[in-house]
Amino acid sequence: MNKTLPLLLLLSAAAAPGGDVLSWGRPLPADRDAKWTVSYGTLAGIDGHVDETFRAFYKATGQDEKQALAESYSFSDFGVDGSYPAFGAHYEKQWPFFSFRFDLLWLSLEADATARRDYYLGLGDEISFGGRKYDHLMISAGTDFSIEFDGVWATLGGAFAPFTLDVADAVRVTPELDFGIVLIGGQYDIDAGKPHGTTVYQNPPVDFVVGGSSSSFIGAGAPMVGAGVEVRVGPEDWVQWVTRANFGLFSYSGSTKPFSSSDHREKDLDLDFFSLSLDTSVILPMNDATCFTVGLRFEYMDLDAEIKSKERDAAAVVAARERFDKSADFSAFTAMVYAGVTF
């Protein structure tokens, strides 16, 4: 789809009638080429799973029956199954052929849960107990615990608008090619009470502290490309209704090395990210230079990943004590109301 879309846009332009029907780029009123808005809404429909799938170490050592030890975790295991507040700040600047956009969402998530079974977790920050520091945590079955996450979801990029079609009186349609980078990061906290013991788990054995609290920063980023269309209804010097729909894609297949500093844990990674957004707003003139705008924005995001062992030789697999391969998926939906000014 990515390779054929530019060609389709060019063909559409070539086939469109001339004169007042088609104009190159995006016609801009002098007082509406920039916009600042703030938003408030909800992060909802959150769903995510991490499933251990296959451990090459067990196959290489003739212990295939232990594949049944694979663990699976979902957001619901940690009490994350509701909707959570989100705040945003957004800026856009338009030129005849290009536009720049910056979107920043602040996300806040809190959840309480009871462990449905023994949870064995790796940590970003160590827990001290008995004079030692541990970077693995066990939450025993039946234990109450809580998690919090405060972070940001940022999109930085732009769009190329090759032409605009006047499809009816005061109705303009502008296709776009989008490009940019998506960043997410924040602080998470997990609290399972006071540490009160240790245990050994996994093969080779790993020491886990039982209970405790830990905080750590997590973050990730990826480029993204996509396409969209903007429909603008209304005269340039009066009230306008503007609706924009966009989709974005990112796909990666290769090493986890660009995403991790731990060379000894390098894996093969297949990652696919998809987003679909719909934005609709009304622009109301305030004076000759400034307009007030109010609108709604909806966005759906979906991520799928497969993390597998890089080693193929049995001896190398045994030497590396390869962990389980994993599959992961994440999806979420945001609904925001916003207001601001164009100038």
Side-chain angles (χ1 to χ4, degrees):
M1 186 182 335
N2 293 345
K3 295 180 180 179
T4 59
L5 185 58
L7 178 60
L8 291 176
L9 292 176
L10 291 175
L11 291 175
S12 298
D20 296 333
V21 176
L22 180 144
S23 55
W24 297 112
R26 187 199 314 266
L28 295 173
D31 59 347
R32 295 181 185 175
D33 61 356
K35 178 171 67 174
W36 269 109
T37 59
V38 293
S39 62
Y40 172 77
T42 181
L43 174 69
I46 305 173
D47 188 28
H49 296 80
V50 176
D51 301 314
E52 294 180 338
T53 56
F54 177 79
R55 190 174 181 188
F57 174 78
Y58 287 149
K59 181 178 180 180
T61 56
Q63 303 179 80
D64 265 335
E65 71 280 0
K66 290 187 177 181
Q67 302 291 354
L69 298 175
E71 295 272 1
S72 294
Y73 293 97
S74 69
F75 275 18
S76 61
D77 290 330
F78 297 88
V80 180
D81 54 7
S83 59
Y84 305 92
F87 304 86
H90 317 271
Y91 174 74
E92 180 176 6
K93 172 68 175 178
Q94 294 181 335
W95 295 274
F97 284 95
F98 292 93
S99 61
F100 169 79
R101 297 170 189 160
F102 174 69
D103 297 286
L104 183 67
L105 286 182
W106 286 270
L107 310 173
S108 181
L109 182 156
E110 296 181 9
D112 297 304
T114 301
R116 302 174 182 178
R117 59 187 186 280
D118 291 343
Y119 294 166
Y120 296 91
L121 309 174
L123 301 173
D125 192 21
E126 297 175 329
I127 297 176
S128 296
F129 176 71
R132 286 188 55 190
K133 293 184 177 181
Y134 297 83
D135 58 4
H136 288 78
L137 167 68
M138 175 191 173
I139 304 177
S140 303
T143 299
D144 295 331
F145 67 97
S146 64
I147 63 169
E148 296 181 9
F149 176 78
D150 293 291
V152 295
W153 180 289
T155 304
L156 180 69
F160 169 61
F163 61 88
T164 295
L165 293 174
D166 290 340
V167 298
D169 185 30
V171 179
R172 290 179 169 176
V173 177
T174 305
E176 300 176 334
L177 296 176
D178 301 327
F179 51 90
I181 184 170
V182 178
L183 302 168
I184 186 169
Q187 182 85 13
Y188 80 86
D189 299 272
I190 185 166
D191 186 352
K194 293 183 178 180
H196 56 274
T198 62
T199 188
V200 176
Y201 184 64
Q202 297 184 341
N203 182 8
V206 175
D207 292 327
F208 287 73
V209 63
V210 181
S213 59
S214 176
S215 301
S216 186
F217 176 85
I218 57 174
M224 189 166 60
V225 296
V229 62
E230 179 186 275
V231 180
R232 189 176 291 263
V233 180
E236 296 293 351
D237 58 350
W238 193 233
V239 176
Q240 286 191 326
W241 177 29
V242 182
T243 299
R244 179 188 291 153
N246 299 81
F247 73 88
L249 300 170
F250 171 69
S251 184
Y252 174 83
S253 182
S255 171
T256 58
K257 193 171 183 178
F259 304 92
S260 172
S261 60
S262 300
D263 294 338
H264 65 288
R265 293 183 179 178
E266 186 177 350
K267 305 281 187 178
D268 286 333
L269 172 66
D270 291 311
L271 176 67
D272 292 292
F273 176 79
F274 170 78
S275 71
L276 180 65
S277 65
L278 177 66
D279 185 309
T280 185
S281 64
V282 175
I283 298 176
L284 305 169
M286 298 170 61
N287 54 47
D288 291 341
T290 307
C291 299
F292 177 75
T293 181
V294 60
L296 297 171
R297 177 179 172 84
F298 307 95
E299 184 171 9
Y300 172 77
M301 299 162 283
D302 183 85
L303 181 147
D304 292 287
E306 295 281 344
I307 304 172
K308 298 181 178 180
S309 168
K310 287 184 66 70
E311 303 294 348
R312 298 294 181 265
D313 178 73
V317 167
V318 173
R321 299 277 186 150
E322 287 287 0
R323 304 293 188 187
F324 272 100
D325 296 341
K326 296 178 178 66
S327 66
D329 63 84
F330 168 80
S331 61
F333 174 77
T334 59
M336 310 291 291
V337 58
Y338 65 84
V341 294
T342 65
F343 52 93

